[in-house]
Amino acid sequence: MDDSGAVVAEHRVPTPSGAVAIVDALAAVAQVLLAEVPGVAAVGVGAPGLVDGNGVLRFAPNLPGVTELPMQAELTARLGLPVHLDNDATCAAWGEHQAGAGRGADDMVLVTLGTGIGGGFVRGGVVDRGAHGFAGEIGHMVVDPHGPPCPCGRTGCWERFASGSGLGRLARDAAHAGRAARMLELAGGDPEAVRGEHVTVAAAEGDPEALAVMGRFAWWLALGVANLANAVDPDLFVVGGGLVEPGDLLLVPTRAAFLALVEEADHRPPVGIRPAALGGRAGAIGAALLARPP
């Protein structure tokens, strides 16, 4: 990014497996960009999981085998530039606050819907990382202690219900129950092959069974959002990630369910639930903004 905040170059590679390979890939991406754009002053990195104030990735449930990784120090040594490491959803929250859907909201929560659920908080116009840097692991709020197992090692985490994997599970349940004819057709006839994308395609076509699955998914999304509203009282939720691409098919039932679930909706100011604006770039843009020298 340049001084005006415009993206002037980007480079993308698949995420590899293992701590060493991930650091190698990050360094390689940075080196490609440094060669393309002279005069870069700092590098920002967003990583999924628990990132502490010293730039150590303590635990990453969706990156198997990655624990206690001093990512910031290793990248600083390799690149010879200041490196700022933060949680990826925290970075995305700052990106949306500064340059996206959260502009003008001093107290906002970002909810990112992907394989799991990430989150980031902006409180009083600044990033809120919590006491140890770990704030925002909202996908691991337990919403059903008897629910399905989570990669974090517990059961019934919110992201098992309201992420991409959660949408797929709801759709497969509907298929096995005989309530997903169009979704099953899109999946080639195998109930176990039904995925979230089959729900969104069928729902966009107006299929009532897919819309019912989407409504159930929206309820689970609204449950976590209502819990967060009760806990931290933001003025805005920004919802990002690939699952918001259906737009109102998801957000309209989510807003309706939120009003039924949040404490005393009739006696609190309206809380916005808005789609993110920066797409897949949000985390990278926020990481760059957080790394920018004062």
Side-chain angles (χ1 to χ4, degrees):
M1 295 177 67
D2 64 16
D3 289 340
S4 73
V7 175
V8 295
E10 66 180 293
H11 182 59
R12 186 182 297 261
V13 300
T15 303
S17 297
V20 173
I22 287 171
V23 173
D24 287 344
L26 287 167
V29 167
Q31 286 160 349
V32 167
L33 294 171
L34 292 171
E36 186 174 344
V37 182
V40 171
V43 175
V45 179
L50 301 180
V51 178
D52 71 14
N54 296 314
V56 177
L57 181 55
R58 295 287 186 182
F59 178 68
N62 293 310
L63 296 177
V66 179
T67 58
E68 303 299 333
L69 175 61
M71 186 180 285
Q72 180 171 291
E74 291 193 17
L75 289 171
T76 298
R78 291 196 192 197
L79 300 175
L81 285 171
V83 173
H84 176 86
L85 179 71
D86 231 314
N87 172 268
D88 58 345
T90 295
C91 293
W94 190 241
E96 290 288 347
H97 179 265
Q98 292 290 290
R103 282 179 291 190
D106 283 343
D107 292 273
M108 61 158 274
V109 176
L110 177 75
V111 179
T112 61
L113 307 177
T115 304
I117 298 178
F121 298 105
V122 175
R123 306 282 289 167
V126 298
V127 173
D128 183 355
R129 298 178 178 86
H132 307 100
F134 301 159
E137 290 295 309
I138 58 178
H140 298 288
M141 297 186 299
V142 174
V143 294
D144 179 359
H146 305 293
C150 180
C152 76
R154 297 183 299 165
T155 58
C157 291
W158 184 33
E159 68 175 42
R160 294 298 89 200
F161 298 91
S163 65
S165 58
L167 179 58
R169 185 176 60 82
L170 290 171
R172 288 189 291 277
D173 289 346
H176 283 294
R179 300 192 304 270
R182 177 57 178 151
M183 293 175 278
L184 193 57
E185 179 185 3
L186 291 169
D190 180 2
E192 286 302 310
V194 177
R195 298 289 182 267
E197 56 265 29
H198 302 131
V199 181
T200 57
V201 169
E205 295 173 350
D207 177 70
E209 292 176 328
L211 290 170
V213 172
M214 187 67 79
R216 184 61 178 164
F217 178 76
W219 185 91
W220 281 109
L221 175 57
L223 175 66
V225 170
N227 287 340
L228 289 166
N230 291 338
V232 300
D233 187 31
D235 52 14
L236 176 66
F237 286 93
V238 174
V239 184
L243 288 179
V244 298
E245 291 178 4
D248 285 348
L249 285 174
L250 174 62
L251 294 180
V252 167
T254 298
R255 293 178 184 124
F258 171 81
L259 292 175
L261 290 165
V262 73
E263 181 190 21
E264 298 298 339
D266 292 339
H267 299 284
R268 61 168 68 219
V271 180
I273 301 176
R274 186 181 302 171
L278 300 180
R281 282 178 164 180
I285 289 172
L289 292 171
L290 287 167
R292 175 176 289 169

